[in-house]
């Protein structure tokens, strides 16, 4: 079992509706040392890839992405912003993302100033469930003509479709913990061996 799986078993709380709460170290209070270890592990898994920028989505992706960037030559981190209003003035890349946790649809935007066809991206996020957030980020990367060199996720819920969909598209998707099942009544979490 790796360091993140151990931490999930220790401090994660399984909620009804297939939601894992990890507020004490990943989503509200942030364990910086753990994030640093995650960065180290992503650097190992994506060794040899030419990555010059990290792309993530607000809010929970940002802290992880910053820690990960320290292990990729302190490359810049760009985060997609969530917005309800559509005031597109042509300077933004935009995608629609349905939120798994909030069940609403957000437009996510990235300024054209910060993504271009010169960029080789590592996409980082905290969770992968149905894959909507990732698909939005991939769409924005494609619009910019940027290359997606890899995708790093902290926690993938392997019993939801996102992981399979993204891997079927041919991307190198690395998830540090893949949950194959969880039970809100007993609080048990089962990991996919990797
Ligand atoms: P997806 O777009 O893949 O369906 O969902 C990914 C996003 O939903 C993540 O960025 C994360 O914020 C949120 N999310 C999905 N499942 C969970 C979960 O079980 N626990 C928490 N804390 N967030 C989740």
């Amino acid at each position: 079992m790796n360091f993140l799986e151990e931490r999930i078993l220790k401090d994660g709380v399984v909620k009804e509706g297939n939601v894992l709460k990890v507020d004490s170290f990943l989503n509200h209070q942030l364990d910086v040392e753990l994030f640093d270890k995650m960065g180290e592990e992503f650097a190992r898994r994506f060794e040899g890839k030419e990555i010059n920028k990290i792309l993530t989505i607000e809010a929970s992706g940002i802290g992880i992405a910053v820690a990960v960037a320290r292990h990729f030559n302190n490359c810049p981190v760009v985060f997609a912003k969530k917005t309800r209003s559509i005031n597109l003035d042509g300077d933004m890349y935009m995608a629609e993302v349905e939120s798994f946790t909030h069940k609403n649809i957000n437009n996510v935007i990235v300024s054209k100033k910060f993504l271009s066809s010169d960029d080789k991206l590592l996409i980082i996020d905290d969770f992968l469930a149905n894959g909507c957030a990732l698909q939005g980020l991939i769409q924005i990367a494609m619009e910019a003509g940027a290359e997606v060199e890899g995708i790093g996720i902290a926690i993938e819920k392997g019993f939801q479709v996102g992981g399979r969909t993204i891997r079927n598209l041919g991307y190198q998707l690395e998830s540090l913990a893949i949950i194959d099942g969880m039970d809100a009544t007993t609080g048990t979490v089962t990991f996919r061996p990797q």
Side-chain angles (χ1 to χ4, degrees):
M1 201 177 300
N2 72 27
F3 63 95
L4 183 58
E5 294 167 333
E6 278 171 8
R7 188 60 177 271
I8 292 167
L9 289 191
K10 183 167 161 273
D11 291 328
V13 180
V14 183
K15 295 286 188 187
E16 291 294 340
N18 283 331
V19 171
L20 178 69
K21 222 166 182 301
V22 286
D23 274 21
S24 64
F25 61 96
L26 197 84
N27 283 147
H28 195 9
Q29 174 171 260
L30 312 180
D31 183 334
V32 176
E33 199 177 348
L34 182 90
F35 284 15
D36 184 59
K37 273 193 184 173
M38 287 169 32
E40 199 177 282
E41 178 60 17
F42 284 132
R44 193 182 67 76
R45 294 190 189 201
F46 293 108
E47 202 181 351
K49 293 264 183 181
E50 238 183 81
I51 286 159
N52 75 335
K53 200 168 275 184
I54 292 180
L55 176 66
T56 187
I57 182 164
E58 67 177 0
S60 296
I62 299 174
I64 302 170
V66 168
V68 172
R70 302 285 293 161
H71 296 267
F72 287 83
N73 299 315
N74 293 319
C75 68
V77 171
V78 175
F79 66 92
K81 296 184 175 199
K82 293 173 183 165
T83 167
R84 284 301 193 87
S85 59
I86 315 176
N87 54 346
L88 276 179
D89 52 12
D91 296 334
M92 300 280 180
Y93 300 114
M94 197 210 55
E96 273 190 355
V97 170
E98 188 181 344
S99 164
F100 175 79
T101 36
H102 300 108
K103 310 285 178 215
N104 59 359
I105 292 185
N106 282 302
N107 294 301
V108 300
I109 54 171
V110 173
S111 167
K112 287 186 176 173
K113 278 187 286 190
F114 304 125
L115 273 189
S116 77
S117 55
D118 293 334
D119 287 323
K120 295 177 182 305
L121 303 176
L122 174 62
I123 295 180
I124 291 286
D125 204 6
D126 60 340
F127 271 88
L128 171 55
N130 290 325
C132 297
L134 275 188
Q135 303 251 32
L137 293 177
I138 290 169
Q139 189 188 321
I140 283 173
M142 285 172 77
E143 254 187 81
E147 200 74 46
V148 176
E149 292 290 328
I151 301 171
I153 297 291
I155 305 171
E156 174 180 337
K157 293 188 291 181
F159 53 87
Q160 293 183 247
V161 298
R164 198 174 338 124
T165 309
I166 300 293
R167 289 189 181 92
N168 283 345
L169 290 171
Y171 294 103
Q172 183 184 349
L173 165 64
E174 298 286 346
S175 303
L176 301 183
I178 303 179
I179 296 175
D180 265 343
M182 53 189 202
D183 188 329
T185 47
T186 59
T188 48
V189 177
T190 317
F191 296 107
R192 185 178 303 171
Q194 12 179 3

